[in-house]
Amino acid sequence: MDNIAGQKSGLGLATHITTLLLVIIWIVPTLGLLLTSLRDQDAISQTGWWMALQGSPQNISVEVPTDAQVLDGDLWRLETNVFDTEWAQENLPADVLDRRRVAAFGASRLRGPNLDPGETVETRGGVTVTVEPDGTLVASSPEPFDDALTLPMALVAPPQLTVQNYAEVLTDMDAEERAEARSVGQRLDEMLFSDEALFGPFINTMTVAIPATVIPIVIAAFAAYALAWMDFPGRGFLIAVVVGLLVVPLQLAFVPLTIIHGWIGIEKSFLGIWLAHTGFGLPLAVYLLRNYMVGLPRDIIENAKVDGATDFQIFVKIILPLSFPALASFAIFQFLWTWNDLLVASVFLPADTESTVMTRFVVTNLLGSRGGEWHILAAAAFVMIAVPLVVFFAMQRFLVRGLLAGSVK
Amino acid sequence: MLDSVIVSGIITILIGVGGMFAYFWISNYVLDNVLFPARGERAGVNINRANMIRPWLFVFPAAFALGLYLVVPVFYSLWLSLTSGVAADGGWYRNYSEIFQNQTFRVALLNNMLWVLVVPAASTFFGLLAAQLTDRLSWGNIAKSLIFMPMAISFVGASLIWSFVYHPDIEIGVVNAIRGLFGADEGVTLITGRITDSFLLMVVLIWIQTGFAMVILSAALRGVPEETIEAAIIDGANPFQIFFKIKVPQIMPTILVVWTTITILVLKVYDIVAAMGSQYRNLEILPTQMMRYFDSGNYGFATAISVVIMVLVLPVMVWNIRQARAEVR
């Protein structure tokens, strides 16, 4: 009986493993950039983000006193722990002392910590040195050690996650510059609205996305009601046109709309982009809402008509409240689309930081001039995708419903 | 200055939303009480007339906006592609003949074809795989949610995420780190402008679109009648046969819808190439090339390329309309 649908089969374990693998492949890229955005600039270039939670090694020149050397046969032998010395207690950072872990060591300051712990290195004069991961150091030499040994080491510091990168990308100032700006009396809002800061584009994105989401909903809802519940000649044709317009490439509209907007003087302006997003979002809005409204029970609407309600009253008091799920679906789509859009913003908004949106700011300003600075890019990426992710996880139900209504019949 | 932008945004919402409601209320009021009042000796005729006009009041704003922002531009672009730029000096076809002779245009067209072949197929495949795998899993919903998540991420954000995965440093980029596990000593730069690098960019879109395919296909799989599956089990079919011979044929129409929807998206995608490969001519696709001509003010070539994209989309458009008309009837 173990072959019945819904029962576990021999494939059960394989299913779990394959799914897990798929999920890991799907989230690792995002997770990587998220961790990177929370890491110190130096740590990013030293170790991979997958080491972020293991702590990052810090390069420190460690002094080891040689007082404890003993003569063992014909060699002078020193055995000590680099973390227990007086020098270490005074000079090493507290978190490194807590962690007590050596990631690498070396014998010459020039070459730095180039050896894995546990290896043995031989230096001038027959001196050999071994450092274990826990800090145990064994050194031997044919001659007595005169001075303290100085060895470059990479000591593991516990993971340090920081939001400094976010502060830097939002204000375009690093910690020092912010402290300095504060000391000369600059207020927080002045820092946020400085020229190359990401905060301005963040506000602009919001300014573009919210009206561009709200306005088409209202326009589309009225039209969808007419297309669903009013009988008039040409209705089928209009529905066909809306379906056709769903797939029209926006590129076709750019040159004509630039010219038309130029005539009425709203070229490269917020008003222009709101109108453009409204126009471009309408086919999906009308289509989704009409499909949903058609499915509402006929009785309710006919009863209301018999009771003397006008179409306007039916629409406002019955259809709109009942269509809330479809309205929410479209609102999420349109919001994600307008928030994430680069193309329409490149055409309808000016390029200067004052009025540009985040996507464009990242592509033209950050990728170009700061292409290698991943602490900045990673933080910028997450400032950009934070709001859509919140919307996504909060409203996933409506998003799925909208997708299904939009493409499956 | 930013305050004023926010204020104007709020005012726009108020004007837009309030204005729309005001328009509908006033226009309905005028129709019912001024033009064709439902009283007096012609009440019956007036009610009928008002009801003939009313649908158009409801449809008008949407129809006007759609007409101005999508329908008119389609024809205007077509017109411009035949009359502006090099076509202005005689020879309506010259924008087209010149772009087709252009080497980078042909590369872009070829790349677009590659994108259209690979991305929808791969996204649908992974989407179907994920849908089937998570179907009866106890933690299936969490898995689905995580695979679906990239849908919320902008193409630009996704490009950043993947540029980091492709980072040339062996200590930073995941791809190079994995090469390191297999013995490579140094990282390599993955995107160098070879024509095959397009595949690395396609991965980004596949990563985003798989969630979409999964959500829709998983709903379709749920809709497959249990009886057909039970009958197959009784006849001794193994899980693979059930999947490929019973389930997949029954959800074929949905697979087609997913495939065409992603195809349309792929034809129009711009952001990923603009963010990850803008400095390489070999990676260009039609939308990025169109934008290059648009930015430099060469409207003749720009509109000609947009018309080419439209022609590529046209078969799907016709198919969609026929489907929709069949439904309405």
Side-chain angles (χ1 to χ4, degrees):
Chain A
M1 283 298 283
D2 61 338
N3 206 19
I4 297 293
Q7 300 285 309
K8 277 183 186 150
S9 69
L11 284 173
L13 189 65
T15 309
H16 279 285
I17 294 173
T18 322
T19 313
L20 191 65
L21 203 68
L22 206 60
V23 169
I24 289 174
I25 295 174
W26 247 254
I27 58 170
V28 155
T30 317
L31 206 63
L33 203 64
L34 177 63
L35 277 176
T36 302
S37 75
L38 293 169
R39 297 180 79 199
D40 185 64
Q41 186 178 359
D42 297 330
I44 294 173
S45 54
Q46 276 170 7
T47 55
W49 58 265
W50 47 92
M51 306 291 278
L53 295 180
Q54 289 189 11
S56 52
Q58 287 185 359
N59 287 350
I60 298 172
S61 218
V62 179
E63 265 186 48
V64 186
T66 49
D67 314 330
Q69 57 182 310
V70 289
L71 188 60
D72 178 16
D74 49 359
L75 289 175
W76 288 88
R77 225 174 111 79
L78 171 68
E79 189 169 344
T80 180
N81 189 302
V82 296
F83 293 110
D84 292 337
T85 64
E86 205 173 305
W87 180 90
Q89 298 297 330
E90 277 169 20
N91 293 288
L92 288 180
D95 47 0
V96 169
L97 279 174
D98 282 346
R99 190 67 195 261
R100 294 178 69 95
R101 211 179 146 73
V102 179
F105 75 103
S108 105
R109 198 172 298 182
L110 262 179
R111 270 183 244 136
N114 57 347
L115 300 165
D116 288 333
E119 284 187 63
T120 306
V121 61
E122 192 168 337
T123 58
R124 274 167 301 159
V127 177
T128 62
V129 180
T130 305
V131 181
E132 298 296 333
D134 65 356
T136 310
L137 174 139
V138 179
S140 63
S141 162
E143 301 291 317
F145 296 101
D146 297 336
D147 304 321
L149 294 170
T150 306
L151 302 169
M153 287 188 194
L155 303 179
V156 177
Q160 280 186 328
L161 298 183
T162 162
V163 291
Q164 281 299 322
N165 299 334
Y166 287 91
E168 184 171 344
V169 75
L170 284 172
T171 57
D172 191 43
M173 289 184 233
D174 61 27
E176 280 173 35
E177 287 168 329
R178 276 199 307 280
E180 195 184 312
R182 219 171 285 127
S183 71
V184 298
Q186 208 177 17
R187 292 194 320 270
L188 181 66
D189 59 319
E190 289 171 332
M191 290 191 229
L192 286 173
F193 289 123
S194 77
D195 216 18
E196 290 294 307
L198 187 65
F199 188 76
F202 179 86
I203 296 291
N204 290 336
T205 305
M206 201 139 50
T207 315
V208 168
I210 293 174
T213 302
V214 176
I215 295 170
I217 292 180
V218 186
I219 299 178
F222 279 97
Y225 172 67
L227 292 176
W229 286 106
M230 295 166 121
D231 210 6
F232 60 97
R235 188 174 75 151
F237 174 74
L238 282 183
I239 295 171
V241 170
V242 169
V243 173
L245 291 178
L246 275 173
V247 298
V248 165
L250 299 185
Q251 280 87 357
L252 273 169
F254 291 164
V255 173
L257 287 181
T258 305
I259 297 173
I260 295 171
H261 278 180
W263 290 340
I264 50 178
I266 55 170
E267 200 187 354
K268 303 258 177 204
S269 68
F270 279 98
L271 185 57
I273 195 170
W274 288 325
L275 292 175
H277 272 312
T278 301
F280 299 154
L282 272 179
L284 183 67
V286 174
Y287 180 71
L288 273 183
L289 294 177
R290 191 204 87 93
N291 277 358
Y292 188 85
M293 287 177 186
V294 158
L296 294 175
R298 178 175 286 272
D299 297 355
I300 304 179
I301 294 157
E302 280 177 355
N303 283 348
K305 275 199 176 146
V306 170
D307 290 346
T310 65
D311 274 308
F312 186 74
Q313 284 170 328
I314 292 173
F315 175 75
V316 174
K317 292 191 176 151
I318 298 175
I319 301 283
L320 269 193
L322 284 180
S323 305
F324 176 76
L327 297 173
S329 301
F330 171 73
I332 297 164
F333 274 118
Q334 180 75 355
F335 180 78
L336 291 181
W337 154 247
T338 48
W339 185 281
N340 289 339
D341 159 78
L342 167 68
L343 190 55
V344 177
S346 313
V347 174
F348 292 96
L349 276 184
D352 56 289
T353 323
E354 235 170 71
S355 43
T356 196
V357 291
M358 279 189 288
T359 46
R360 188 147 193 232
F361 181 80
V362 167
V363 169
T364 53
N365 294 39
L366 295 187
L367 274 179
S369 63
R370 313 186 74 159
E373 297 182 46
W374 275 100
H375 66 295
I376 292 290
L377 286 173
F382 275 89
V383 171
M384 192 161 60
I385 66 185
V387 174
L389 281 184
V390 169
V391 171
F392 173 83
F393 282 114
M395 317 270 268
Q396 204 175 7
R397 204 158 45 93
F398 293 109
L399 191 67
V400 170
R401 198 195 295 239
L403 276 183
L404 295 178
S407 40
V408 189
K409 279 266 80 176
Chain B
M1 125 245 125
L2 260 149
D3 300 346
S4 72
V5 168
I6 296 170
V7 168
S8 73
I10 293 169
I11 291 175
T12 308
I13 293 180
L14 291 179
I15 292 179
V17 176
M20 284 309 295
F21 274 96
Y23 157 81
F24 286 111
W25 191 82
I26 292 170
S27 63
N28 274 282
Y29 184 87
V30 168
L31 189 68
D32 288 330
N33 294 292
V34 181
L35 290 178
F36 302 110
R39 55 180 176 270
E41 53 191 66
R42 295 170 57 83
V45 179
N46 276 355
I47 287 176
N48 283 343
R49 282 193 183 157
N51 283 342
M52 274 173 63
I53 294 175
R54 197 181 330 273
W56 297 102
L57 294 182
F58 275 71
V59 168
F60 172 74
F64 179 78
L66 282 175
L68 185 63
Y69 277 86
L70 287 169
V71 180
V72 168
V74 169
F75 294 103
Y76 198 175
S77 270
L78 191 60
W79 170 253
L80 284 171
S81 74
L82 299 174
T83 57
S84 68
V86 287
D89 319 325
W92 54 269
Y93 52 85
R94 284 194 51 204
N95 281 320
Y96 293 94
S97 61
E98 291 208 8
I99 55 167
F100 272 97
Q101 279 162 23
N102 190 334
Q103 175 66 25
T104 56
F105 173 82
R106 290 206 297 251
V107 170
L109 193 61
L110 175 79
N111 279 336
N112 250 67
M113 292 299 169
L114 277 179
W115 280 75
V116 165
L117 284 178
V118 175
V119 175
S123 306
T124 313
F125 170 78
F126 283 118
L128 192 56
L129 182 70
Q132 169 66 19
L133 285 176
T134 54
D135 197 25
R136 293 181 194 281
L137 226 50
S138 47
W139 51 289
N141 279 340
I142 301 170
K144 271 195 222 169
S145 197
L146 291 173
I147 295 177
F148 193 31
M149 183 200 66
M151 273 290 280
I153 296 175
S154 62
F155 289 163
V156 176
S159 303
L160 282 178
I161 288 173
W162 281 90
S163 297
F164 194 64
V165 171
Y166 296 150
H167 197 287
D169 192 320
I170 202 160
E171 293 281 7
I172 297 178
V174 173
V175 171
N176 273 309
I178 291 172
R179 285 181 63 252
L181 283 182
F182 291 101
D185 295 329
E186 272 179 40
V188 290
T189 308
L190 290 160
I191 297 175
T192 52
R194 288 161 307 200
I195 209 139
T196 47
D197 290 349
S198 286
F199 291 104
L200 296 175
L201 272 55
M202 290 177 205
V203 168
V204 183
L205 196 54
I206 295 168
W207 180 72
I208 294 174
Q209 288 302 316
T210 293
F212 163 77
M214 177 196 66
V215 164
I216 290 179
L217 294 173
S218 128
L221 282 178
R222 291 263 160 95
V224 171
E226 280 290 321
E227 306 89 70
T228 59
I229 298 166
E230 278 165 22
I233 293 171
I234 291 169
D235 288 348
N238 68 35
F240 288 100
Q241 286 173 323
I242 293 173
F243 181 67
F244 285 108
K245 300 205 166 144
I246 307 291
K247 288 185 174 176
V248 169
Q250 293 194 67
I251 60 166
M252 213 51 197
T254 314
I255 293 180
L256 256 178
V257 169
V258 169
W259 195 296
T260 48
T261 309
I262 300 177
T263 304
I264 295 292
L265 181 98
V266 170
L267 279 171
K268 300 188 277 192
V269 75
Y270 160 81
D271 312 26
I272 295 174
V273 180
M276 290 177 83
S278 57
Q279 67 270 50
Y280 303 116
R281 287 288 152 91
N282 267 341
L283 301 183
E284 262 197 63
I285 49 173
L286 296 180
T288 56
Q289 200 166 37
M290 184 262 163
M291 281 304 283
R292 213 153 35 75
Y293 288 126
F294 175 82
D295 286 337
S296 62
N298 188 340
Y299 287 176
F301 284 2
T303 49
I305 294 176
S306 64
V307 169
V308 172
I309 302 174
M310 178 74 203
V311 170
L312 294 174
V313 170
L314 215 51
V316 180
M317 187 168 164
V318 171
W319 187 72
N320 274 359
I321 293 177
R322 290 180 55 167
Q323 294 288 106
R325 292 203 74 118
E327 259 161 43
V328 171
R329 275 195 207 107

